[in-house]
Every structure is written in structure tokens, then in C-alpha cells.
Amino acid sequence: MRSPRRLLLLVAASASVLITAAPALAQAQAPTDPFAQAASDIPADSNVRFGTLPNGMQYALLRNATPPGQASFRLRIDAGSLMENEDQLGLAHFMEHMAFNGTTNIPENDLLRILERLGLAFGADTNAYTGFDETVYLLELPRTNDETVDTSLRIMREQVSEALMAADAVDAERGVIEGEERLRNTPGLRSIKAQIALLAPGQRLANRLPIGDLNIIRNAPRDRFVEFYNGYYRPERATFVAVGDFDVDAMEAKVRAEFSQWQGKGPAAPEPDLGTVAPREPETAILVEPGIQSSIQINWTRAPDRNPDTVAERREDLLRGLGAAVLNRRLGELARADNPPFISASGGEGELADSVAIASVSAQFNPGEWKRALESIEQEQRRLVQYGISDAELQREITETRAALENAVAGAATRRTPALAGALAGSVNARIVFSSPQTNLDLFNAATQGLTAAQVSEAIKPVFEGGGPLALVVTPVEIEGGEAAVTAALEASRLVPVTAPAVQAELEWPYAEFGTPGAVQSRTEIASVGATVVTFANGVRLTVKPTDFRDEQVLVSVRTGIGELGLPVDRIEPQALSPLVFAAGGVGKLTADELSRVLNGRIYSAGYSLDGDSYVMTGATRPQDLQLQTQVLAAYLTDPGLRPAPFQQIKAFFPQIIAQQMATPGGAFGLQSGILLASGDKREALPTAEEIAAWTNEQMAAGVRQGLSTGPIDVVMVGDVTVDDAIASVASTFGALPARGPDLAPEPGADQRRFPAGTAEPVRLTHNGPAEQALAYIAWPTVDAVDDRTAARQASILSEVLKLRVLDEIRERQALAYSPGVGASASDVFAGYGSISIRAEIGADKADAYWAAINDIVAKLRDEPITDDELNRARLPVIEALRRSQASNEYWLAQLAKVGEKPATVEQTLSHISDLEAITAADIQRLAQQYLKSDTAWRALVVSANPAAAAAAPAAQ
């Protein structure tokens, strides 16, 4: 049950990347290309074993023990939607699905079940994706014993060489693909189509989005699948990547044994002609798309750079990148100023699927403000080219980049396995050398030795040259005058003289002292979890757990106050917007941009959230910057900036957030369901436009300051830190503050939340998207996790069993939804508040069939015992995911959050796995009978506000 405010946080955070300034889509590669280091003077990471089998298949193996005992497999096929013929549009992606639907030696329904028995969950650990130029299969192995490794290799080998593509299985999967197309048919996707159409007209890319053509998806005969599969699923187009806690010699032997006999079937398919980048004159395009984020971009196109990855090439890229970084910093500062010309903006360059190179400068703006945004980004880009950058700006970017590279070197031994596997596979697709962090730092230092601002200023000039400029405006409302008006505005802006940027003043860090360091009053060891709880004389509690999970990583959280418990239940407070503006407001003596400047080159962060029972600030740093990190968080706690500009900006932006969410069934449900699932508790409600308009920054700031100023302070540190260092950093910051009083009393009724009563018929909600899109939701009340979490954990496994059946019936058998979701929620704040839910985006005409299927699934769970095999397939992936997370700092930061206040939570943490292992098949049936009752189920159906959709989607049970 995600609150509307948390949903808005996600939307606001992602708004600026809806249309990217520099599309980072991968490049195509010929099947015979060796690893990039073969044509480069850059050495590959010596820890990786690269090899090629006699049949042409490549492999890259890397031992990495973070997390221990686990591995990540990637099998990349050098073929995606660009390889499709005109009568195959969508079949590259469809083929990815079929690789999970039966092979020569693995029956259709057995593949996922085999992996589930090994502890791999569908989606989280077993997945695949299709792009323009590649298809990648992914497995996350919970252990690296012979059974798990051998079975996983055998399955991947079968997928890429022995897929059956039985005609009946193809027909059954058509509905699943159609459901995925319906799910992805969003304003964002339609804006991407418009972007590609403008940037690559006449090229193959313009008509090759991976989702394909629905008519072909519905009707393509089996032989077209076979033609694509045999033509492109071949060893010479394959690269296998394995990263994990294994012996490389043993893994290499297994890979060779499994894949060496693989031979392609029939003749290889040809490489596609991607087309050429045509000369372009200035051009403007407008996409009017209700529910879209308003944005504008100015693009220049040129032929892609196919030079190999070399030292010289990287230096050239670095110089251009440093110039672009300066531009982005300038644009960011404009966005955070009073009365900004846009919400956010960025500039840079990239390549689109080896088809076209693009330089762009883009902005997201509020509806109606396109002209101001256009002028600002055009003139700022031209200011960069005309006047270049200053030495101070260059040194700032060099310092920041070097700090990140040095931190990567220091933490290289404990890089995360999944990220390394993804990077290795990505390096193949991008034709770049997988070089070590030390090599990357060395190359950077060599390239920046003696580097001048003048050199970078010269390097950035040709970036914004080429065909164009090509302007694209994406807007939810019509633009008066249309394309001609945009073209005229751009031409007029280009005639406006620009001046050199102003020199920024030098700054000093003003938060190094918070008073006399606090004295330690008590120190308690909690040996069972390797933590120490320290209490200072002023009442501040510190819980610290040193770990070796990640070198050079220390995570910090600071909790205080009572959070939402201090808010009324009968009205919405301006504090609801505080997570969107808190960090952007900076601190009292420094704006956010000044903070960034004065702390240039330091590793720190500052996050903020308003939780159910506390205000929470978080940071991530390295050991050498730990003192600074605590100073930053203490400054935000005691002297938050809460400046009006971010608040006014989010107020202006808020209607767009709502419109974007209302454009899809899932977004509309997220906005409208919070208050319904909380039985009218307005802390979970979405504020109206009138409420937002009436709020002031002063009201919001007063509420936040009051909330942060009361109650005990709990600091948690986890990671590469010693107890003594943690104590010293807290003693001089939070421990030096004046003693604080007790928590405020909760507002009347604020400590209670109720699940809504069951509904005989679904509550009917609406969205503003296409008429064929709908969402069905059903949830049952369960139990909380306030104190004893055992019952909530049992309910979570019931939801996992339910998930298996929903996926099998709703997705695979009836193809009613592409990605039905099942989950369990249990509050750790509100007694008795928890639920199990099922949600699925379905066709508007499928509601009757969907509800009937859900009723049948639930009835069988209540009436018939499940097998031990099904229980284990549901439970084991959860346990393995839990074991994996227990080897991370993030897990322990969350688990230790309330240990200082509630020491009993330690036992609850330690019993998690044993609680799950104790659940029996009989328990599942009992829990289904206890919770999954027809009369307690709350149902909702979200249909299009288009009247045509209402008739297509009766409110069936």
C-alpha cells in the first residue's frame, strides 16, 4: 500500500529523465567483433578471464565474493529489434518470451519451477530484456554449488539453442505480449517514438521499437519465429558473463562443457543496414500528449563514432564530458534559483543504437512556459560555446570526478556482483574495454595532468554542431502558433547576445563546530548482531555496526520526532510536500548549490523522509569523510534552509505530476487509493489543487522545524567504520547539541489506521489514458508487524504462494495481464494494519474473466492443501533474497533503526529466516482461510474516463 505522497516523490524524481538529453542506448556490434581490448591500448581488468570457444561464443568470468556464496549470470545475444524483417516487428522481444516456454529437454511449465526450487524468483532473479541490438538473459544465483550452477548453465544453454516455439505455446503467449504492449502504451513511450522519428528519419531505428507491431504479434506464424531464432541465436553472436563467488578455473570448465557443442542451425542471418545520417536543416516538431511532462529539447545530429575504445578516444570523451558537466551544473543552478525558467535541464551527447550521434540540451518546464525554457537552454548552451569555462569550474569537475574514481579504487574489492555482471555485459554491447577502477583513475589523472580550461573550452565547441538544430517540444497542451511559433522563438533567441558567466565567490564550510563534544554515558554491546549502542549525556543514542560488506562505504541514518503521528488525520498539512523540497532548500547558511561548491570533492549525501513515526535523514559516505557527513546531517537537522524557491517550484509543478499519473491506470490508482485503503485517513490523501495553492512555504517550514526540534535523536551507522570513529563523529555533532525533551504527543487518533470494509462490488475509479486500459485490485486485511513479526511473515509467504498461482493462471494460462503483482504489507507503526493484495493492469473488456479467475484461485487456496513443493518454490526465493540482503549495509541500517529505542527488535531480526522455515503447507491453507475471505476483500476497478471504456468494463466481481 504505497501512499500517494511517496508515489509523487518517485514521479518528481523521474520527471527530468522522461526525455533524456543524451540518449544512452547501446551500440550495435557485428557478431565477429572480439572483446574491445583486442583493438585498444587500454588494458582490460586483469581479474577477468576472457575467452572464446571454437564455435565463436565469447565468455568473461570474474570471481567476486560480494555478496558471498552467490553469482550473477548474463547471456547476451547480439540481436534485437534492429535485426527484424518488416514482417517480424516485435518478434525479437516475443522470442525472448518463448525462450522461457519450453525447450527440447525442459517442458514448458518446468523451466521456472526448476529455478524456483533452487531459490530463484521469477522477475527478481530470473529475467530477460530485449533492446534495439541485443537480447540478454539474466540469472541471479543464490548459491554457487554444483547443482545450482550446472542447472542454471543447462537452462541458459537450452534457452538459446533448443527453444521449441511450439505453435500452441506461441498462440498462448500472444496475449501476454499484447498485455505488455498495453501496459507500456504510455505518454512516455509515445514521446520516445516522437523523439526517434525526429532524430533518425529514414533509418531502420525509426521503425524498430522492441515492442513491435501488434498485428504481427497477433498473427505471425511459427516459421517466422524459427527464422529469427535460427538466424540470430547462434554461438558466434553470444557472450556469456559470470561474476560471483566461484573458482574461475572450475567455472570456465563448466562453461566450455555446456556450450562448446552448440552449433548454429542453418545459415546465419545478415547484419541489418542501419541507414545513414542524412544532412539536416533546422526543423521543429511538436507532440501534444495529455498527461506528459512538458519538455523541450534542441538536438544536433551526426554520424556515429565507430572508433575503437583507446586512450586517445577516452581523453577526447573526457574533455567533452567535463565541458558538459559544467553546462549541467550551470543549468542546475538556474533550475534552483528563484523564479526559475524551467523545472530541470541538462545537456550532453550520446549515440542511439549505433545509428546516430546526438548532442542535446533539454529542459522540463511547466505548461505554457515553453518559450522561456527554450530561450534559457539555448542561450546557456551558446554561452558555454562562446565563452568557454573558467579554471575554477574545471577544477571543480576534476576534483569531483577524481574523488569518485578514487573511491571506486578503494572499494574495488567489494563491488557488488550483479552490478559487475551488468557492467561486463554492457561493455560488450558498448564496445568498450572493461578496465579496472585503478586503470580508470590512472587514465583520468594522465588526461587531466596540466589540463587547462582553454583546452576543455575548445573541445566542447564541436559537440553542439551537426545537422539541425532539431527542436522537439512535448506538451500536454497545444502551443499557440504551433511549430512556426517554436521555430521563430528559437531563431530569435539565437540572435540574442550572451554575456560571460559571473564569477562565483569563494566559500567556507560554516558547520564544523556544534559545541563541546558530548560525553558517552553508556555503551552496550549487542554481540548477536555485532552492534554497539552508545548513549551520550544529552540523550542522543548511537547504534553502530562495523561490517566488511563494502569497502569505503558508511551508511548513516538519523531519526527524531514522531513523523506522521504528529499530523492530523482529518486534514492534509503542507508538510506533505516537505520530502520534495527539504534537501533542495539547502541549510541556513548555504544554498544547495553553495553546499555543493564548498564541499566539492567530498563524498557525502543528504536524504530526508517523513515516516510514519519519525523524521528520517540519511547519508552515504566513506570513512575519511565520516566527520563531514555527520556535520552535514546535523546542519540539516538544526538549521534547515527550507527556502521558498523549491516550494514554489513544486507547487507550480504539482498539477503536471497529477496529470502524468492520471494518464495511466497504475498511476491513477496510486493517487486515488491511498485514502481509501486508509479508511479516510487524510495523511494518505492527495491534496487538491486548491489546497496546494493555499499553502505557503512558511507553513511547511514551521511544521518541519517543529517536528525536527523535539524528541530523542537516534543515529545509526553501518559499514566500513570503527566504533570509536563513529562515537567521535557523533560526539562532536549530535552529541554536542543541547539536551532535547520527549517526543510530542500524537494528534488525536493519529496512532490508529484501519483497513476499509470489504466491498460487494469493486470501487470504480478512473484514469485519463486509452479506453482499452484498466486496472483491477483486490486486497484483504491481515496483521501488523509492530512488535511480534511472526504472523506478518507467515502472511508474506501466503502472498508468495498466491503469486505463483496468479502468475500461472492470470499471466500464463489466460494471458489476462502481463505483469500481475501480488504482495503483502504489514505496518510497523499502526497496530492491526496490514494486507495481502493482487493488482493487474488488464484489458478493459477482461474484468469479468479476471475477477472469476481470482475468485477461483483464492477459493482453491482456502479449500485444498498446497504441496510441499509449491510451498518451497514460494518460500525458498524469499529466504535466499533475505540471505543476500543480510550481506549488505542497507539491510542492517534498516534493521537497526529502532534498536536504541526498542532493543527487542534484535530478536525479531534474528528469527526472520527461522520463522519462514517453520511455515508448513497446512499453515498456508489455514492462513488462506483466515485472511482470504470474500466478505473482507476490498476491490477496485480503474477504467478510462473515456465513456467508451466504461461500457467495455462492467464492474464485475
Side-chain angles (χ1 to χ4, degrees), residues 361-690:
V361 59
S362 65
Q364 291 71 47
F365 56 89
N366 287 317
E369 299 182 5
W370 66 268
K371 188 170 183 290
R372 205 171 153 226
L374 170 64
E375 292 169 347
S376 296
I377 60 174
E378 187 280 324
Q379 291 169 27
E380 205 58 43
Q381 174 269 322
R382 192 153 43 84
R383 192 189 323 277
L384 178 78
V385 171
Q386 183 171 337
Y387 292 101
I389 68 173
S390 69
D391 184 66
E393 288 176 311
L394 173 61
Q395 295 309 316
R396 184 177 177 185
E397 302 306 333
I398 288 176
T399 299
E400 186 164 294
T401 305
R402 180 179 288 117
L405 291 171
E406 289 174 343
N407 205 46
V409 171
T414 53
R415 290 173 289 176
R416 304 293 291 185
T417 286
L420 279 170
L424 256 173
S427 71
V428 176
N429 199 51
R431 293 194 308 240
I432 60 175
V433 178
F434 185 83
S435 46
S436 70
Q438 185 63 59
T439 295
N440 296 338
L441 176 60
D442 292 343
L443 291 176
F444 176 83
N445 284 335
T448 55
Q449 180 69 36
L451 185 65
T452 67
Q455 290 173 306
V456 173
S457 298
E458 282 301 309
I460 197 67
K461 288 182 179 180
V463 168
F464 299 100
E465 296 176 354
L470 310 174
L472 173 65
V473 183
V474 179
T475 170
V477 296
E478 295 281 351
I479 291 180
E480 184 177 354
E483 294 172 356
V486 175
T487 299
L490 177 58
E491 291 175 347
S493 179
R494 296 174 72 185
L495 297 175
V496 174
V498 294
T499 59
V503 177
Q504 295 176 326
E506 292 291 328
L507 297 168
E508 293 185 356
W509 176 236
Y511 294 98
E513 300 291 338
F514 289 86
T516 303
V520 172
Q521 191 174 64
S522 66
R523 175 170 172 161
T524 304
E525 308 296 328
I526 308 178
S528 58
V529 292
T532 301
V533 178
V534 178
T535 302
F536 292 87
N538 66 349
V540 169
R541 290 184 295 248
L542 165 66
T543 303
V544 56
K545 177 180 171 63
T547 73
D548 57 4
F549 303 139
R550 293 285 301 275
D551 292 342
E552 295 295 300
Q553 183 191 67
V554 185
L555 303 184
V556 184
S557 73
V558 181
R559 303 173 68 90
T560 194
I562 59 173
E564 289 184 344
L565 292 177
L567 303 181
V569 299
D570 59 351
R571 67 182 185 275
I572 309 174
E573 287 287 300
Q575 278 196 68
L577 295 186
S578 63
L580 297 171
V581 302
F582 185 85
V587 289
K589 299 176 183 178
L590 297 169
T591 67
D593 290 308
E594 289 170 340
L595 188 69
S596 175
R597 289 213 312 273
V598 75
L599 299 181
N600 181 224
R602 310 292 291 275
I603 303 296
Y604 73 98
S605 63
Y608 164 90
S609 64
L610 176 59
D611 284 7
D613 60 355
S614 61
Y615 294 81
V616 182
M617 294 186 298
T618 56
T621 187
R622 57 185 175 181
Q624 73 185 72
D625 286 328
L626 178 61
Q627 184 69 36
L628 172 69
Q629 177 66 77
T630 55
Q631 290 173 359
V632 169
L633 294 180
Y636 267 107
L637 175 70
T638 60
D639 190 25
L642 297 171
R643 290 175 171 80
F647 188 80
Q648 294 303 322
Q649 187 175 25
I650 199 63
K651 282 182 64 174
F653 180 39
F654 199 83
Q656 283 202 86
I657 298 177
I658 304 304
Q660 289 172 50
Q661 292 305 289
M662 289 299 294
T664 66
F669 180 75
L671 294 185
Q672 300 173 73
S673 63
I675 189 171
L676 299 174
L677 290 167
S679 297
D681 186 339
K682 289 204 170 181
R683 291 172 297 180
E684 293 298 300
L686 180 74
T688 65
E690 292 75 17

Side-chain angles (χ1 to χ4, degrees), residues 5 19 189 221 240 251 261 425 497 707 867 905 915 938:
R5 287 182 291 100
I19 297 183
L189 179 65
F240 176 77
M251 182 63 72
Q261 301 308 309
T867 65
T905 58
D915 284 346
W938 188 87

